[in-house]
Amino acid sequence: MDLQLKGKRVLVTGSSAGLGEAIARLLAAEGAEVIVHGRHEQRAATVRDSINKGGGKASYVLGDLSFDAGADEVAAAALAGGPVAILVNNAGAYQPKPWLQVSVADWQNSYNVNVLAYVRMIHRLLPGMKKLGWGRMIQIGSSGGIEPFALQPDYLAATAARHNLTVSLARELKGTGITSNTVAPGPMLVENTRNMLLGMAGQFGWGNDWADIERNAVEQFVHNDVGRFGKPEEVAAVVAFLTSPSADYITGALLRVDGGHTRSV
């Protein structure tokens, strides 16, 4: 399928590694001009260079989205090359703490990093999209925002807020040609998740071998109908579809990519 992304400029936040990197790479392969975002120059530059060497078109911007000045820097650098038609809000952070170890300060920081950072970029890029008369606002959510568990309650609550703001934004964008949607992955096997599982293995008796750790983690902690962790490329494929004109009639939606992890309609 031709996703008709050639010439469209896309900013993917948090795309110097993990899920964001997979999204950036796929959109570039589909012809979009991708702006890689991160906080560490070497990592962002490495992704940019790899995309360009592979025949895609990419640049990078740096900045911390957890405060206004950092978001200003990222937006200004992204818009310097022309209007941005697609924003994929992916950057975020979490730590697997149980309830009573999550302080009020942790809750405040989590909301800032995982919700307000998204809002900052929407505020800065939406005016330009309205001038284009077409655009995409895509938030990366989580199955945990739909069906929360005990660990990391601050992050899960923040993720649920992402889902909610997406629908509110879709109502705001009525008639503009811009859509707003959430893609909610289940547990993904990215570097952060792998490191988290390795740290939890001893506590839950998952063994020492990685194959045993992954299998036991799926069975005991993140059960799903497919029987494995998701791949970043599988989420990227859904994001890519939502960016295309073929998805013009989809807005205010939450698309789960979780292997059947979420037990609800």
Side-chain angles (χ1 to χ4, degrees):
M1 179 183 292
D2 178 9
L3 297 182
Q4 302 177 53
L5 297 181
K6 187 174 182 179
K8 288 187 168 59
R9 302 186 73 243
V10 183
L11 172 61
V12 184
T13 68
S15 50
S16 61
L19 178 55
E21 179 182 351
I23 293 170
R25 289 183 179 278
L26 182 55
L27 293 179
E30 290 291 338
E33 181 182 338
V34 173
I35 306 160
V36 176
H37 162 257
R39 293 184 297 170
H40 305 286
E41 184 168 14
Q42 184 176 356
R43 294 173 71 175
T46 297
V47 175
R48 176 205 60 185
D49 293 344
S50 177
I51 289 173
N52 289 337
K53 288 177 182 177
K57 188 173 183 180
S59 57
Y60 74 85
V61 296
L62 301 174
D64 187 342
L65 304 181
S66 65
F67 60 100
D68 289 346
D72 286 340
E73 292 174 3
V74 170
L79 293 170
V84 173
I86 299 166
L87 170 64
V88 181
N89 262 326
N90 167 75
Y94 57 86
Q95 48 189 341
K97 289 184 178 181
W99 252 95
L100 294 182
Q101 291 182 23
V102 183
S103 67
V104 171
D106 289 331
W107 279 85
Q108 292 171 326
N109 181 66
S110 187
Y111 195 84
N112 181 44
V113 170
N114 294 300
V115 181
L116 299 185
Y118 283 39
V119 174
R120 289 184 181 101
M121 297 315 299
I122 291 169
H123 280 178
R124 286 158 177 78
L125 297 185
L126 182 55
M129 284 189 201
K130 286 186 174 181
K131 290 180 181 178
L132 291 175
W134 187 93
R136 296 288 188 263
M137 291 284 182
I138 300 174
Q139 329 301 333
I140 301 301
S142 169
S143 60
I146 307 167
E147 193 173 280
F149 39 89
L151 287 175
Q152 58 198 43
D154 53 324
Y155 174 74
L156 300 180
T159 302
R162 294 180 197 168
H163 299 177
N164 190 284
L165 73 84
T166 291
V167 179
S168 175
L169 182 59
R171 305 293 87 83
E172 172 70 17
L173 296 175
K174 179 180 179 180
T176 63
I178 305 167
T179 62
S180 171
N181 293 291
T182 296
V183 175
M188 292 286 112
L189 193 54
V190 295
E191 182 180 358
N192 285 346
T193 302
R194 183 184 175 95
N195 291 337
M196 181 179 73
L197 295 176
L198 288 171
M200 296 169 65
Q203 177 184 355
F204 290 95
W206 291 341
N208 298 314
D209 181 75
W210 171 249
D212 290 336
I213 292 172
E214 181 178 12
R215 183 182 65 256
N216 287 320
V218 170
E219 290 177 355
Q220 299 176 26
F221 188 58
V222 292
H223 55 80
N224 63 44
D225 297 328
V226 177
R228 62 171 173 82
F229 281 85
K231 301 173 183 178
E233 294 77 12
E234 293 170 318
V235 177
V238 176
V239 172
F241 172 71
L242 285 176
T243 66
S244 75
S246 297
D248 279 346
Y249 199 54
I250 302 174
T251 192
L254 189 154
L255 280 70
R256 303 196 308 246
V257 188
D258 64 2
H261 173 69
T262 306
R263 303 301 193 190
S264 66
V265 176

